[in-house]
Coordinates of all heavy atoms in Angstrom, one line a residue:
I1 N -59.8 -7.1 153.6 CA -60.6 -6.6 154.5 C -62.1 -6.7 154.0 O -62.4 -6.1 153.0 CB -60.4 -5.1 155.1 CG1 -58.9 -5.0 155.4 CG2 -61.2 -4.8 156.3 CD1 -58.3 -5.9 156.5
T2 N -62.9 -7.4 154.7 CA -64.3 -7.6 154.2 C -65.3 -7.4 155.2 O -65.1 -7.4 156.4 CB -64.4 -9.0 153.6 OG1 -64.2 -10.0 154.7 CG2 -63.5 -9.3 152.5
Y3 N -66.6 -7.2 154.8 CA -67.8 -7.2 155.7 C -68.2 -8.6 156.0 O -67.7 -9.6 155.2 CB -68.9 -6.4 155.1 CG -68.6 -4.9 154.9 CD1 -68.3 -4.4 153.7 CD2 -68.5 -4.1 156.0 CE1 -68.1 -3.0 153.6 CE2 -68.2 -2.8 155.9 CZ -68.0 -2.1 154.7 OH -67.7 -0.8 154.6
P4 N -69.1 -8.9 156.9 CA -69.6 -10.3 157.2 C -70.1 -10.9 155.9 O -70.2 -12.2 155.9 CB -70.6 -10.0 158.2 CG -70.2 -8.8 158.9 CD -69.7 -7.9 157.8
D5 N -70.8 -10.2 155.0 CA -71.3 -10.8 153.8 C -70.3 -11.1 152.7 O -70.7 -11.6 151.7 CB -72.5 -10.0 153.3 CG -72.1 -8.6 152.9 OD1 -70.8 -8.3 152.9 OD2 -72.9 -7.8 152.4
G6 N -69.0 -10.8 153.0 CA -68.0 -11.1 152.0 C -67.6 -9.9 151.1 O -66.7 -10.0 150.4
E7 N -68.4 -8.8 151.2 CA -68.2 -7.7 150.3 C -66.9 -7.0 150.8 O -66.6 -6.9 152.0 CB -69.3 -6.7 150.4 CG -70.5 -7.2 149.6 CD -70.3 -7.3 148.1 OE1 -69.7 -6.3 147.5 OE2 -70.6 -8.4 147.5
P8 N -66.1 -6.4 149.9 CA -64.8 -5.8 150.3 C -65.0 -4.4 151.0 O -66.0 -3.8 150.7 CB -64.1 -5.6 148.9 CG -65.2 -5.5 147.9 CD -66.2 -6.5 148.4
V9 N -64.1 -4.1 151.9 CA -64.2 -2.8 152.5 C -63.2 -1.9 151.8 O -62.0 -2.2 151.9 CB -63.8 -2.9 154.0 CG1 -63.9 -1.6 154.6 CG2 -64.7 -3.9 154.8
I10 N -63.7 -0.9 151.2 CA -62.9 0.0 150.3 C -62.4 1.2 151.1 O -63.1 1.8 151.9 CB -63.6 0.5 149.1 CG1 -64.2 -0.6 148.3 CG2 -62.8 1.4 148.2 CD1 -65.1 -0.3 147.1
G11 N -61.1 1.4 151.1 CA -60.5 2.5 151.8 C -60.3 2.4 153.3 O -60.1 3.3 154.0
A12 N -60.4 1.1 153.7 CA -60.1 0.9 155.2 C -58.6 1.1 155.4 O -57.7 0.9 154.5 CB -60.4 -0.6 155.5
K13 N -58.2 1.6 156.6 CA -56.9 1.8 157.0 C -56.3 0.7 157.8 O -57.0 0.4 158.9 CB -56.8 3.1 157.8 CG -57.1 4.3 156.9 CD -56.1 4.5 155.8 CE -56.5 5.7 154.9 NZ -56.3 7.0 155.6
V14 N -55.3 0.1 157.4 CA -54.7 -1.1 158.0 C -53.3 -0.8 158.5 O -52.5 -0.2 157.8 CB -54.6 -2.3 157.0 CG1 -54.2 -3.6 157.7 CG2 -56.0 -2.5 156.2
S15 N -53.1 -1.1 159.8 CA -51.8 -0.8 160.4 C -51.0 -2.0 160.9 O -51.7 -3.1 161.2 CB -52.0 0.1 161.6 OG -52.6 1.3 161.2
A16 N -49.7 -2.0 160.8 CA -48.9 -3.1 161.4 C -48.2 -2.6 162.6 O -47.4 -1.6 162.6 CB -47.9 -3.5 160.3
L17 N -48.4 -3.3 163.8 CA -47.7 -2.9 165.1 C -46.6 -3.9 165.2 O -46.9 -5.1 165.2 CB -48.7 -2.9 166.1 CG -49.9 -2.0 166.1 CD1 -50.8 -2.2 167.2 CD2 -49.5 -0.5 165.9
I18 N -45.4 -3.4 165.5 CA -44.2 -4.3 165.8 C -43.9 -4.3 167.2 O -44.1 -3.3 167.9 CB -43.0 -3.9 164.9 CG1 -41.9 -4.9 165.0 CG2 -42.5 -2.5 165.4 CD1 -40.7 -4.6 164.1
K19 N -43.5 -5.4 167.7 CA -43.1 -5.6 169.2 C -41.7 -5.1 169.4 O -40.7 -5.5 168.8 CB -43.2 -7.0 169.6 CG -43.1 -7.2 171.1 CD -43.5 -8.6 171.5 CE -43.5 -8.7 173.0 NZ -43.8 -10.1 173.5
R20 N -41.5 -4.0 170.3 CA -40.3 -3.5 170.7 C -40.1 -3.7 172.2 O -40.7 -3.0 173.0 CB -40.2 -2.0 170.4 CG -40.4 -1.7 169.0 CD -39.1 -2.2 168.1 NE -39.2 -1.5 166.7 CZ -38.4 -2.0 165.8 NH1 -37.6 -2.9 165.9 NH2 -38.5 -1.3 164.5
G21 N -39.4 -4.8 172.6 CA -39.3 -5.1 174.0 C -40.7 -5.6 174.5 O -41.3 -6.6 174.0
K22 N -41.3 -4.9 175.5 CA -42.6 -5.2 176.0 C -43.7 -4.4 175.4 O -44.8 -4.5 175.8 CB -42.6 -5.1 177.5 CG -41.6 -6.1 178.2 CD -41.7 -6.0 179.7 CE -40.9 -7.0 180.4 NZ -40.9 -6.9 181.9
R23 N -43.3 -3.5 174.4 CA -44.3 -2.5 173.9 C -44.5 -2.9 172.4 O -43.7 -3.4 171.7 CB -43.8 -1.1 174.1 CG -43.5 -0.7 175.5 CD -43.1 0.7 175.6 NE -44.1 1.7 175.0 CZ -43.9 3.0 175.0 NH1 -42.7 3.5 175.3 NH2 -44.8 3.7 174.4
W24 N -45.7 -2.4 171.9 CA -46.1 -2.6 170.6 C -46.2 -1.1 170.0 O -46.8 -0.2 170.7 CB -47.4 -3.2 170.4 CG -47.4 -4.7 170.7 CD1 -47.6 -5.2 172.0 CD2 -47.1 -5.8 169.9 NE1 -47.5 -6.6 172.0 CE2 -47.2 -7.0 170.7 CE3 -46.8 -5.9 168.6 CZ2 -47.0 -8.3 170.2 CZ3 -46.6 -7.2 168.0 CH2 -46.7 -8.3 168.8
Q25 N -45.6 -0.9 168.8 CA -45.6 0.5 168.3 C -45.8 0.4 166.8 O -45.5 -0.6 166.1 CB -44.3 1.2 168.6 CG -43.1 0.6 167.9 CD -41.8 1.4 168.3 OE1 -41.6 1.7 169.6 NE2 -41.0 1.7 167.4
G26 N -46.4 1.4 166.2 CA -46.6 1.5 164.8 C -45.3 1.5 164.1 O -44.4 2.3 164.4
F27 N -45.2 0.7 163.0 CA -44.0 0.6 162.3 C -44.0 1.5 161.1 O -43.0 2.1 160.7 CB -43.7 -0.8 161.8 CG -42.4 -1.0 161.1 CD1 -41.2 -1.2 161.9 CD2 -42.3 -0.9 159.8 CE1 -39.9 -1.4 161.4 CE2 -41.0 -1.1 159.2 CZ -39.8 -1.3 160.0
S28 N -45.1 1.7 160.4 CA -45.2 2.5 159.2 C -46.6 3.2 159.1 O -47.4 2.9 160.0 CB -45.0 1.6 157.9 OG -46.0 0.6 158.0
Q29 N -46.8 4.0 158.1 CA -48.0 4.6 157.9 C -49.0 3.5 157.5 O -48.8 2.6 156.8 CB -47.9 5.7 156.8 CG -47.1 6.9 157.1 CD -47.7 7.7 158.3 OE1 -48.8 7.9 158.3 NE2 -46.7 8.2 159.2
P30 N -50.3 3.8 157.9 CA -51.4 2.8 157.6 C -51.5 2.6 156.1 O -51.3 3.6 155.3 CB -52.6 3.4 158.2 CG -52.1 4.3 159.3 CD -50.9 4.8 158.8
A31 N -51.8 1.5 155.6 CA -52.1 1.2 154.2 C -53.6 1.2 154.0 O -54.4 0.8 154.8 CB -51.5 -0.1 153.8
A32 N -54.1 1.6 152.8 CA -55.4 1.7 152.5 C -55.8 0.6 151.5 O -55.1 0.2 150.6 CB -55.8 3.0 151.8
T33 N -57.0 -0.1 151.8 CA -57.5 -1.1 150.9 C -57.9 -0.6 149.6 O -58.4 0.6 149.5 CB -58.6 -1.9 151.6 OG1 -59.7 -1.0 151.9 CG2 -58.1 -2.6 152.9
D34 N -57.7 -1.4 148.5 CA -58.2 -0.9 147.2 C -59.7 -1.3 146.9 O -60.4 -1.6 147.9 CB -57.3 -1.5 146.1 CG -57.3 -3.0 146.0 OD1 -58.2 -3.6 146.7 OD2 -56.4 -3.6 145.5
D35 N -60.1 -1.2 145.7 CA -61.5 -1.5 145.4 C -61.9 -2.9 145.6 O -63.1 -3.3 145.6 CB -61.9 -1.1 144.0 CG -61.0 -1.7 143.0 OD1 -59.8 -2.1 143.2 OD2 -61.5 -2.0 141.8
R36 N -60.9 -3.8 145.8 CA -61.1 -5.2 146.1 C -61.1 -5.6 147.6 O -61.2 -6.7 148.0 CB -60.2 -6.1 145.3 CG -60.2 -6.0 143.8 CD -58.9 -6.6 143.2 NE -57.8 -5.9 143.6 CZ -56.6 -6.3 143.3 NH1 -56.4 -7.5 142.6 NH2 -55.5 -5.6 143.7
G37 N -60.7 -4.6 148.4 CA -60.5 -4.7 149.8 C -59.2 -5.2 150.2 O -59.0 -5.7 151.2
I38 N -58.3 -5.2 149.2 CA -56.9 -5.7 149.5 C -55.9 -4.6 149.9 O -56.0 -3.5 149.3 CB -56.4 -6.4 148.1 CG1 -57.3 -7.7 147.8 CG2 -55.0 -6.9 148.3 CD1 -57.0 -8.4 146.5
Y39 N -55.0 -5.0 150.8 CA -54.1 -4.1 151.3 C -52.7 -4.8 151.2 O -52.6 -5.9 151.1 CB -54.3 -3.7 152.7 CG -54.0 -4.7 153.7 CD1 -52.8 -4.9 154.3 CD2 -55.0 -5.6 154.0 CE1 -52.6 -5.9 155.2 CE2 -54.8 -6.6 154.9 CZ -53.6 -6.7 155.6 OH -53.3 -7.7 156.4
R40 N -51.6 -3.9 151.2 CA -50.2 -4.5 151.3 C -49.4 -3.5 152.1 O -49.4 -2.3 151.7 CB -49.7 -4.7 149.9 CG -48.3 -5.4 150.0 CD -47.8 -5.8 148.5 NE -46.6 -6.6 148.6 CZ -45.4 -6.1 148.3 NH1 -45.3 -4.8 148.1 NH2 -44.4 -6.8 148.4
I41 N -48.7 -3.9 153.1 CA -47.8 -3.0 153.9 C -46.4 -3.5 153.8 O -46.1 -4.7 153.9 CB -48.3 -3.1 155.5 CG1 -49.8 -2.9 155.6 CG2 -47.4 -2.2 156.2 CD1 -50.2 -3.1 157.1
Y42 N -45.5 -2.6 153.4 CA -44.2 -2.8 153.1 C -43.4 -1.5 153.1 O -44.0 -0.5 152.9 CB -44.0 -3.6 151.8 CG -44.2 -2.7 150.5 CD1 -43.0 -2.2 150.0 CD2 -45.4 -2.5 150.1 CE1 -43.2 -1.4 148.8 CE2 -45.6 -1.6 149.0 CZ -44.4 -1.2 148.3 OH -44.6 -0.3 147.2
P43 N -42.1 -1.5 153.2 CA -41.3 -2.7 153.7 C -41.2 -2.7 155.2 O -41.3 -1.7 155.9 CB -39.8 -2.3 153.1 CG -39.8 -0.8 153.1 CD -41.2 -0.4 152.8
L44 N -41.2 -3.9 155.7 CA -41.2 -4.2 157.1 C -40.0 -5.0 157.5 O -39.5 -5.9 156.9 CB -42.5 -5.0 157.5 CG -43.8 -4.4 157.2 CD1 -44.9 -5.3 157.5 CD2 -44.0 -3.1 158.0

């Protein structure tokens, strides 16, 4: 996750929504980006 100038966004909350039939719902708790702006969501 970055800003327009390429700088990382630290502590951003990233969520994965899974499709259940015709609805989208949160699958897990949001993941936070680290000091490089990197996140990882698992297990999915």
Side-chain angles (χ1 to χ4, degrees):
I1 311 299
T2 59
Y3 293 110
D5 60 2
E7 287 296 309
V9 181
I10 301 173
K13 292 300 178 65
V14 188
S15 300
L17 304 176
I18 189 172
K19 191 173 185 179
R20 300 291 193 191
K22 295 183 179 180
R23 300 181 61 184
W24 294 88
Q25 65 184 49
F27 186 84
S28 61
Q29 293 295 322
T33 56
D34 60 17
D35 59 328
R36 301 165 297 171
I38 296 175
Y39 72 91
R40 187 169 186 265
I41 306 176
Y42 74 95
L44 298 174

